[in-house]
Amino acid sequence: MSTENEGNEGTAGEAVPSVPSVPPVPADAPQESPGSRPESTPAQAAEPPTAPPHAPQPQPHATPYPPQAQSAAEADWPPPAPPAVPAYASHGAGGGGPVWGAQPQPYAPEGPRKRGMGGLVAAVAAAALIAGGIGGAFGYWAADRNGSGSTTVSASANPQDLKRDPATVAGVAAKALPSVVTIDAQGGDGEGGTGTGFVYDKEGHILTNNHVVASAADSGQLTVTFSNGKKYGAEVIGRAQGYDVAVLKLKNPPSGLTPLSLGNSDQVAVGDSTIAIGAPFGLSNTVTTGIISAKNRPVASGDGSGGSNSYMSALQTDASINPGNSGGPLLDARGAVIGINSAIQSTGSSVGQTQAGSIGLGFAIPINQATNVAQQLIKTGKPVYPVIGATVTMNEKSGGAVISDQGAGGTEAVSKDGPADRAGLKAGDVITKFNDTAIDSGPTLIGEIWTHKPGDHVTLTYERDGRTATTEVTLGERSGDS
């Protein structure tokens, strides 16, 4: 409760005149000695003097004081202290006094006041005034010491107070950034670009996309820059065009390399948090966040001319991914790599732009698949692809993967004694399901096959002459991109 309200409560019940009855005594008025004033008993103080019947009634007057002067003796001067809030200041809140301009009442001298709430309130008010004075003086002293009138308070500069929780985005990014690199690839013909990669192992291998380094793979220069600004030369150990995966090796790797931890992309769920790190449009060490918005998204990227295309059953994310993010890690909330950022869906380039930007549809190669490819490339320098031994049409949204009438260069569409041939598949069959995954086109089928390894057993559902059948296929293999 405020002390102002308490003070009003202590005086609200007392009978007080609407305005003071007697003006102050002039300076030349005769002064009474302390003992000359007759003492009034409490009973006398409680009873106001009775006016004679023939006395004229007082008239309303707008002046705060009556126009008639009285002697100090008649008025029992000095009068008791006026109320803390004059009665005319009341706004109908139970003040009990007449409003300004009401009939003045004959003055009745007060008896001795009881020591109760009034005294306590006065003491509290005095204490509040003293405390206010001390606070004002201290504030002035502090402002004067500071040399300005500012009253701002600085946050603690203690590094412990600024430490981020490792589970936050800031904590994950701080731990991962030293292991993420920006790759500058310059081809011998002057072509090149910028992409991203990350430390795969302590031996200095860097995992990235094939299309990031393709221009400098055969003849050119590769430079890797860490988040601390240190640069290192690198060379291509192996690359898989169909998977869009490549492995580099630092020529003079520094000691103390920290590989990023690898997650399990098979356990990722739609809605999981994601963190992408890369160099979009050359802006190194950029961190963006989002979620997994879809899984097993069939994606074909490349120039659309056949063998140069890459296919993936991708993780889809709405984390902002742009040109230059390619090859960078897609992390989960713990900071483990769950994918390699590889492609974006775009509405096309705008006037005056050569590259389109993110529209919230980014695609990453699942890390389980990328790890298998990386191990092959480090071991042999060549990729190994699982195959079914059949050529399918690459028309999208054809209701399934249609086995072609003939293969490349006029060869048979179904390789003799290959996996598909042994499973009983023929040209014209429409494959509609790979294990439990629906297949709507040739690229979707290839993307699903490449999530497996040679020798894996899979179940294919297909249609022939209006009838549906299933068959088991043991995946074969193909080495290299040619």
Side-chain angles (χ1 to χ4, degrees):
M1 296 178 66
S2 67
T3 56
E4 289 83 2
N5 289 336
E6 291 174 356
N8 290 342
E9 291 167 0
T11 59
E14 298 175 5
V16 295
S18 59
V19 294
S21 303
V22 181
V25 177
D28 56 351
Q31 301 295 322
E32 291 184 340
S33 63
S36 63
R37 180 177 172 182
E39 258 185 81
S40 299
T41 63
Q44 290 173 330
E47 289 291 334
T50 305
H54 59 274
Q57 294 296 324
Q59 299 299 316
H61 201 283
T63 314
Y65 301 105
Q68 303 292 328
Q70 293 177 318
S71 70
E74 293 172 339
D76 192 19
W77 187 260
V85 179
Y88 56 78
S90 172
H91 295 278
V99 296
W100 181 262
Q103 292 279 357
Q105 300 298 320
Y107 174 74
E110 285 190 342
R113 185 176 298 181
K114 294 181 180 179
R115 292 185 60 84
M117 286 298 295
L120 176 60
V121 171
V124 172
L129 289 173
I130 294 172
I134 293 173
F138 179 78
Y140 176 81
W141 174 82
D144 186 62
R145 294 274 293 182
N146 192 41
S148 68
S150 174
T151 57
T152 58
V153 179
S154 298
S156 172
N158 188 345
Q160 292 297 325
D161 296 338
L162 301 177
K163 187 176 181 180
R164 269 70 178 181
D165 190 314
T168 63
V169 174
V172 170
K175 183 178 179 181
L177 277 168
S179 300
V180 179
V181 299
T182 300
I183 301 172
D184 181 38
Q186 295 299 324
D189 56 0
E191 293 185 3
T194 300
T196 308
F198 60 92
V199 178
Y200 179 71
D201 58 27
K202 294 183 178 181
E203 287 69 42
H205 290 108
I206 304 295
L207 197 54
T208 187
N209 283 142
N210 171 67
H211 73 262
V212 170
V213 301
S215 62
D218 298 325
S219 61
Q221 184 176 359
L222 288 168
T223 303
V224 170
T225 305
F226 283 79
S227 61
N228 60 7
K230 293 184 178 180
K231 299 178 182 291
Y232 299 87
E235 58 184 349
V236 176
I237 295 298
R239 58 195 185 100
Q241 196 169 6
Y243 292 119
D244 196 17
V245 173
V247 176
L248 310 182
K249 177 75 182 300
L250 299 178
K251 293 180 178 180
N252 295 297
S255 60
L257 285 175
T258 303
L260 289 181
S261 59
L262 305 180
N264 186 345
S265 52
D266 291 339
Q267 295 180 349
V268 171
V270 173
D272 282 351
S273 298
T274 58
I275 302 171
I277 303 179
F281 299 105
L283 300 173
S284 300
N285 309 317
T286 295
V287 178
T288 55
T289 63
I291 62 168
I292 293 292
S293 40
K295 292 181 63 177
N296 304 318
R297 186 70 77 191
V299 174
S301 62
D303 58 11
S305 61
S308 61
N309 287 350
S310 61
Y311 304 94
M312 69 185 89
S313 181
L315 297 175
Q316 180 181 318
T317 180
D318 65 349
S320 181
I321 296 175
N322 289 284
N325 273 108
S326 293
L330 184 68
L331 309 175
D332 63 14
R334 303 170 302 162
V337 182
I338 55 174
I340 300 178
N341 300 317
S342 182
I344 60 172
Q345 181 69 41
S346 176
T347 57
S349 301
S350 302
V351 176
Q353 293 182 332
T354 58
Q355 293 178 312
S358 172
I359 59 171
L361 293 173
F363 305 99
I365 303 168
I367 194 60
N368 290 8
Q369 177 182 353
T371 299
N372 292 335
V373 177
Q375 291 172 347
Q376 295 167 2
L377 295 177
I378 292 172
K379 184 177 180 179
T380 67
K382 293 182 179 181
V384 175
Y385 298 92
V387 297
I388 63 170
T391 301
V392 295
T393 61
M394 301 309 291
N395 298 329
E396 296 185 3
K397 307 302 180 184
S398 55
V402 181
I403 298 179
S404 304
D405 294 331
Q406 62 179 15
T411 61
E412 292 183 357
V414 179
S415 301
K416 188 175 182 179
D417 202 30
D421 186 33
R422 291 194 295 267
L425 295 172
K426 297 180 179 180
D429 288 347
V430 181
I431 300 172
T432 58
K433 188 178 289 187
F434 182 93
N435 289 334
D436 293 327
T437 301
I439 301 299
D440 58 5
S441 66
T444 302
L445 176 64
I446 296 174
E448 284 299 316
I449 293 173
W450 286 358
T451 62
H452 289 72
K453 298 178 181 179
D456 286 351
H457 299 281
V458 299
T459 300
L460 298 181
T461 302
Y462 64 96
E463 294 179 357
R464 180 190 298 171
D465 300 330
R467 291 180 296 178
T468 300
T470 60
T471 186
E472 279 197 3
V473 177
T474 300
L475 299 177
E477 70 175 58
R478 186 193 77 197
S479 180
D481 281 312
S482 57

